[in-house]
Amino acid sequence: MLYHFLYPLKKYSIIFNLFGYVTVRAAGAGLISFLFVLIFGKIFISYIKKKKVGERISEDVPERHKRKEGTPTMGGLLIIFGTLIGIIFFGDFKNPFLYAILFVFLSFGFLGLIDDIYKTRGEKKKGISKKIKIIYQSIITIIFFFLISLIFEKSIFTKTQVLFFKNFLINFSLLYPVFIYFVLVGTANAVNLTDGLDGLASGISATCVLVYIILAYVGGHKIISDYLKILFIPKSWEISIFGSSLLGAILGFLWYNSYPAEIFMGDVGSQAIGAGIAGMAILTKQELLLPIAGGVFLIEALSVIIQVISFRWKGERVFLCAPIHHHFELKGISEPKIVMRLWLLSIIFSLIAISTLKIR
């Protein structure tokens, strides 16, 4: 809105020309999203408390988590609205990439919201059935697949960039819908599994989003992409506006979600963030970089998979509790220290991911 109103005024003053720069719009979007969540966070928390929408703690987590029972949840709504505010002010609504990323972000967020409602209102902490989730996620994937088919040229539509090789693409062809389904669902579930300690998922998400903000910018910049020998995707720079809005909203949420958390993001937050990150990876054709950029998410998800396979196969548990952050808790490490160490690990993974741009 602000972009479409102010940028045309460049013919009257050179200062309005600033709104034509992606970097300026990205910075503005991130700032306004952060301020929105920061300002309205307290109001939202008070409202959730009034409605008595509190977190219901699972019996499968360490005993110390029982004190968190009743903490306001569904804070992911703050993140979603904060992200939308940044985009409304600084997004280019003529850019098709913006609609594609918003579709998958909001669709998965809606799924998470319904899941949260079921969990908070039912007698047991039980959300939507797995069957319904799979059907819903499959439909969203098909629609998203159709949307990106309208955006990309046929020559690169079903392809993705390969790590450590310059200008080398792998073609998934007819398997591409299956591929992006696992990217979307896998990332959303990984963020959800990581959301078990105060500030953990939001802090790690922030570093991962930052990576894809950079990737979206360089991939949409002809000169930089040519220099780095990566795929140039015209107009994909708008993904960085979405990413900056999401990053600002996450950081604003982290203000209240850091230890001791005043509010949790809930499934509405983890599903939306996970799908947002995955959508950015798909639209920048950097899906194969996601296991590195989101290395901590991968570790958390793998710890659950290993635990389940080991218990079903041998009847033994590899970890004291899964996901792995609960294992560290039962080892006697304090919650803030676990979170800080995993944040640092996430920063390292993010730096490695960015460095692959130069060493390809």
Side-chain angles (χ1 to χ4, degrees):
M1 182 176 67
L2 195 63
Y3 163 71
H4 288 288
F5 176 72
L6 294 178
Y7 185 54
L9 298 178
K10 63 181 179 179
K11 57 185 177 182
Y12 301 110
S13 175
I14 195 172
I15 193 170
F16 294 111
N17 196 51
L18 288 172
F19 290 93
Y21 291 98
V22 175
T23 50
V24 173
R25 291 198 291 127
L31 179 60
I32 200 168
S33 294
F34 172 76
L35 292 176
F36 176 85
V37 177
L38 195 66
I39 293 169
F40 290 98
K42 278 291 184 183
I43 299 173
F44 183 81
I45 292 171
S46 297
Y47 175 79
I48 292 296
K49 283 182 177 179
K50 186 178 179 181
K51 292 295 182 179
K52 296 181 180 180
V53 182
E55 182 72 13
R56 303 177 69 180
I57 304 301
S58 171
E59 297 179 357
D60 300 325
V61 300
E63 185 66 28
R64 70 176 77 174
H65 283 259
K66 296 299 181 183
R67 60 183 171 79
K68 299 182 181 183
E69 184 86 26
T71 301
T73 187
M74 295 192 195
L77 287 171
L78 267 176
I79 296 173
I80 290 174
F81 284 120
T83 302
L84 292 176
I85 288 296
I87 291 171
I88 288 171
F89 275 88
F90 291 96
D92 178 3
F93 292 101
K94 295 179 182 179
N95 193 305
F97 282 92
L98 189 59
Y99 293 102
I101 190 67
L102 280 177
F103 168 75
V104 76
F105 174 68
L106 295 175
S107 296
F108 271 74
F110 179 75
L111 174 65
L113 176 62
I114 300 301
D115 211 23
D116 282 334
I117 292 173
Y118 270 71
K119 288 178 180 178
T120 55
R121 291 186 178 180
E123 294 182 3
K124 298 181 179 179
K125 184 179 168 63
K126 195 172 183 180
I128 304 172
S129 69
K130 291 181 179 179
K131 183 179 179 179
I132 293 176
K133 280 185 180 180
I134 291 173
I135 294 172
Y136 179 90
Q137 291 166 338
S138 298
I139 293 172
I140 297 305
T141 302
I142 292 170
I143 297 173
F144 185 56
F145 175 78
F146 174 74
L147 288 175
I148 60 180
S149 71
L150 301 176
I151 295 174
F152 289 104
E153 296 178 4
K154 291 183 178 180
S155 59
I156 63 169
F157 168 44
T158 58
K159 296 179 180 179
T160 189
Q161 302 186 71
V162 179
L163 296 178
F164 311 118
F165 292 94
K166 298 180 185 294
N167 287 327
F168 184 80
L169 304 176
I170 182 171
N171 191 357
F172 283 93
S173 190
L174 296 177
L175 293 176
Y176 193 62
V178 178
F179 174 65
I180 63 173
Y181 172 83
F182 283 109
V183 172
L184 285 169
V185 176
T187 307
N189 289 341
V191 175
N192 183 257
L193 289 171
T194 306
D195 185 30
L197 301 179
D198 297 357
L200 180 59
S202 47
I204 294 170
S205 296
T207 61
C208 194
V209 170
L210 181 58
V211 170
Y212 279 99
I213 292 173
I214 296 171
L215 291 172
Y217 178 73
V218 300
H221 195 293
K222 177 64 175 173
I223 296 174
I224 299 176
S225 60
D226 285 347
Y227 171 72
L228 294 173
K229 307 293 185 186
I230 63 173
L231 181 66
F232 169 59
I233 307 175
K235 296 186 178 182
S236 65
W237 58 71
E238 204 63 26
I239 302 169
S240 65
I241 307 301
F242 166 81
S244 295
S245 299
L246 178 57
L247 177 60
I250 290 172
L251 293 178
F253 176 76
L254 188 55
W255 186 279
Y256 300 104
N257 184 236
S258 58
Y259 184 87
E262 299 174 59
I263 189 170
F264 298 139
M265 69 170 65
D267 283 9
V268 60
S270 59
Q271 290 287 321
I273 291 172
I277 293 172
M280 293 176 75
I282 293 166
L283 291 172
T284 56
K285 295 294 180 181
Q286 296 281 4
E287 300 98 326
L288 298 182
L289 194 61
L290 193 49
I292 298 178
V296 175
F297 291 138
L298 179 63
I299 291 171
E300 293 276 355
L302 285 176
S303 68
V304 174
I305 294 171
I306 292 170
Q307 186 86 322
V308 171
I309 292 175
S310 177
F311 185 75
R312 290 182 177 178
W313 187 27
K314 296 183 178 181
E316 299 176 358
R317 289 182 171 86
V318 176
F319 306 102
L320 296 176
C321 187
I324 198 169
H325 55 257
H326 290 319
H327 170 81
F328 294 136
E329 276 191 289
L330 293 175
K331 282 286 188 178
I333 304 175
S334 67
E335 183 172 342
K337 181 169 284 190
I338 295 170
V339 172
M340 183 56 67
R341 286 176 175 176
L342 290 177
W343 279 2
L344 293 172
L345 188 60
S346 183
I347 292 172
I348 292 171
F349 278 126
S350 297
L351 292 174
I352 294 172
I354 294 298
S355 69
T356 63
L357 290 175
K358 189 62 180 174
I359 63 176
R360 296 186 185 204

